[in-house]
Amino acid sequence: MLPFRLYDTYMDKEIKHLGTKTGKLLLFGGVYSNLQALEKLISIAKDAGIAPENCISTGDITGYCAQPEETVQLFQKWGALSIAGNVELQLANDSEDCGCDFKSGSRCDDFSKMWFPYTKGHLSQQSLEWMHEIPEYISFDYGGKKVTVVHGNYGNTSEFIFKSNATESKENCFKETNSTIIIAGHCGLPFHQTLKENVWLNPGVIGMPANDGTPRVWYMILDIIDGEVTYAHHSFEYDAETAQKLMYKNHLPEAYGDTLTSGIWDNMEILPELEKMGQGIPIYFNQEQKDTIQTKTQKKMANTYYDPADLRKFGKITEWSEELGTKFFDYYGKVFEEGALSAREKSLIALAVSHVVKCPYCIDAYTKDGLQKGITKEEMMEAVHVGAAIEGGATLVHGVQMMNKYNKLSM
């Protein structure tokens, strides 16, 4: 490490402190060796007049895509700041796996055994040495607030933290880093969340779409307006077709290559139940974006009682009752964990119940979830018939009450 770097230390973990930042900040993560996406982001930063030292990555500069060395060299030339993601830490330590904390034997784990050796084998010694110098955490003061940048979480770089989960982990991160704002990455989905007086921000990633059925990728802009720190999510499209073709050419996971243009993840193994429901539904953070990305069919559907895009708003029920909403989602997530019933069995039950309670949001969510779990259309329809039979039987058996009442009154 260079001798002039200033570090804060909490719980024996070093955080590189950058002093005070001013002006607009561009936040992003997960470049994943996607050179074409990085080139587009650099042009966005230049057009916005945001200096490289105000562009901050949450790590994983290298990853699934086909140009790790070119991406690292361009990143260094650009001069943006970054923390080390799990991929950089593993490469710097000459490890044999990506350290993503995928479940052993999962599709993501199997895919990582394809792309990680490729990445490792295509990086120069200079790039690997540069990774040794990337700090695991950085912090700075911004608009009178302490900001800390982590990859997954403080103390657990590979922890998958989404909006709907890990409330306790988030609260501990604020406390342990003495921060008001946490900027995090790793999970691949953009979100923001207020927890009491603190804010957790995930700008999303630029190397892969956000599982929303569009090829768009995500970043954030922080600014100070009237003395207050503001944040806004932004998305962009880039030459995903070239990135995809290069993945195919180099025999990298075709499923990941397909995702670059389809916007649909090959699997949802790492996602909590709430985030799974959002697959294929375009993300928007304001009405203007919604109008831009909706198709004519979606706009027509939005004029009905049930707008499929509203499924993404499910998590917002915590905003009007944070304590109860958070407890519900903690419970909801636990219910769908593997237990006496498999996740596959629970998905079928959920699909049947969704039809009985007539919830179109749930029907959408658990049809997609069932497909991800390999449930056939015949199994799905049979589950719906079971639900219909129970619902019909429940209606008919209450006819006994009618018969009893009729007999009593007609005596």
Side-chain angles (χ1 to χ4, degrees):
M1 298 293 183
L2 297 177
F4 60 80
R5 289 179 176 173
L6 175 63
Y7 287 86
D8 291 336
T9 301
Y10 299 96
M11 295 178 63
D12 300 321
K13 302 179 186 70
E14 286 186 335
I15 302 178
K16 180 184 176 184
H17 191 65
L18 305 178
T20 300
K21 285 281 184 185
T22 59
K24 289 184 179 180
L25 304 181
L26 188 152
L27 312 174
F28 64 102
V31 184
Y32 300 147
S33 303
N34 191 328
L35 181 66
Q36 290 69 37
L38 181 61
E39 289 172 337
K40 181 62 179 286
L41 183 71
I42 292 173
S43 71
I44 289 171
K46 288 180 179 178
D47 290 344
I50 302 176
E53 59 268 24
N54 272 12
C55 299
I56 302 172
S57 166
T58 61
D60 282 357
I61 299 167
T62 58
Y64 320 112
C65 295
Q67 295 177 282
E69 176 65 12
E70 296 89 339
T71 300
V72 171
Q73 291 299 319
L74 179 60
F75 194 96
Q76 291 182 73
K77 182 179 179 181
W78 181 25
L81 303 175
S82 184
I83 61 169
N86 51 277
V87 177
E88 282 78 40
L89 291 174
Q90 295 294 89
L91 288 167
N93 291 324
D94 195 28
S95 299
E96 296 302 318
D97 64 82
C98 67
C100 295
D101 201 25
F102 297 137
K103 184 178 179 181
S104 179
S106 67
R107 283 182 66 79
C108 286
D109 183 50
D110 290 342
F111 288 148
S112 71
K113 293 172 183 175
M114 297 172 62
W115 66 258
F116 187 76
Y118 173 92
T119 297
K120 190 175 181 180
H122 283 76
L123 288 170
S124 67
Q125 188 61 33
Q126 188 278 330
S127 292
L128 292 169
E129 290 174 357
W130 175 74
M131 289 179 186
H132 277 277
E133 300 300 316
I134 305 175
E136 192 168 356
Y137 312 102
I138 59 177
S139 69
F140 52 90
D141 299 318
Y142 189 69
K145 300 182 185 302
K146 171 74 174 294
V147 181
T148 297
V149 184
V150 303
H151 183 64
N153 195 8
Y154 183 64
N156 188 353
T157 295
S158 297
E159 183 177 0
F160 288 108
I161 291 186
F162 296 89
K163 186 171 185 178
S164 73
N165 75 345
T167 302
E168 185 176 352
S169 287
K170 292 167 187 166
E171 291 174 345
N172 287 339
C173 186
F174 288 117
K175 182 179 179 181
E176 291 168 5
T177 63
N178 193 29
S179 301
T180 303
I181 300 173
I182 295 293
I183 300 167
H186 191 51
C187 77
L189 298 182
F191 70 89
H192 58 269
Q193 185 175 24
T194 300
L195 296 169
K196 299 176 182 177
E197 71 277 9
N198 301 319
V199 180
W200 189 283
L201 302 176
N202 192 314
V205 298
I206 67 166
M208 281 278 177
N211 199 32
D212 72 339
T214 78
R216 298 169 304 135
V217 294
W218 292 86
Y219 67 100
M220 291 187 81
I221 297 290
L222 260 63
D223 202 357
I224 302 172
I225 300 176
D226 296 329
E228 295 293 328
V229 177
T230 66
Y231 51 85
H233 294 273
H234 296 273
S235 64
F236 65 88
E237 295 188 16
Y238 65 99
D239 185 8
E241 289 79 9
T242 293
Q244 181 185 61
K245 289 176 183 176
L246 287 168
M247 289 188 71
Y248 295 162
K249 179 181 178 181
N250 288 281
H251 308 292
L252 290 163
E254 289 190 7
Y256 286 169
D258 293 342
T259 294
L260 294 180
T261 54
S262 72
I264 298 292
W265 291 5
D266 167 77
N267 66 81
M268 298 190 287
E269 294 165 338
I270 66 169
L271 293 180
E273 290 302 314
L274 182 61
E275 279 73 18
K276 287 179 182 178
M277 293 180 178
Q279 186 181 57
I281 301 174
I283 295 172
Y284 59 89
F285 290 98
N286 55 56
Q287 188 61 41
E288 289 71 32
Q289 276 189 317
K290 182 179 179 182
D291 288 341
T292 299
I293 65 180
Q294 279 186 314
T295 64
K296 290 182 179 179
T297 300
Q298 288 172 319
K299 287 180 179 179
K300 183 177 179 181
M301 293 177 75
N303 291 327
T304 67
Y305 282 107
Y306 294 104
D307 180 354
D310 283 343
L311 186 54
R312 280 204 176 273
K313 301 176 185 176
F314 189 17
K316 291 187 177 183
I317 64 170
T318 60
E319 293 178 2
W320 289 10
S321 180
E322 182 177 334
E323 182 181 0
L324 293 177
T326 299
K327 287 181 178 178
F328 169 77
F329 285 121
D330 288 343
Y331 164 75
Y332 192 97
K334 287 289 183 184
V335 165
F336 283 92
E337 290 179 359
E338 291 276 348
L341 294 172
S342 69
R344 190 178 190 277
E345 290 168 327
K346 290 180 178 182
S347 184
L348 268 176
I349 293 170
L351 182 63
V353 173
S354 298
H355 285 79
V356 172
V357 300
K358 297 176 176 60
C359 173
Y361 305 117
C362 305
I363 292 168
D364 283 359
Y366 287 101
T367 300
K368 288 186 291 188
D369 186 60
L371 282 168
Q372 287 284 335
K373 290 181 168 62
I375 298 173
T376 67
K377 62 184 179 182
E378 291 81 11
E379 290 174 308
M380 290 185 189
M381 185 55 74
E382 196 163 315
V384 171
H385 277 294
V386 170
I390 294 298
E391 184 180 27
T395 300
L396 288 173
V397 77
H398 277 77
V400 174
Q401 300 296 317
M402 173 199 69
M403 294 165 69
N404 289 342
K405 189 68 174 179
Y406 180 90
N407 290 334
K408 183 177 180 180
L409 293 175
S410 62
M411 288 177 64

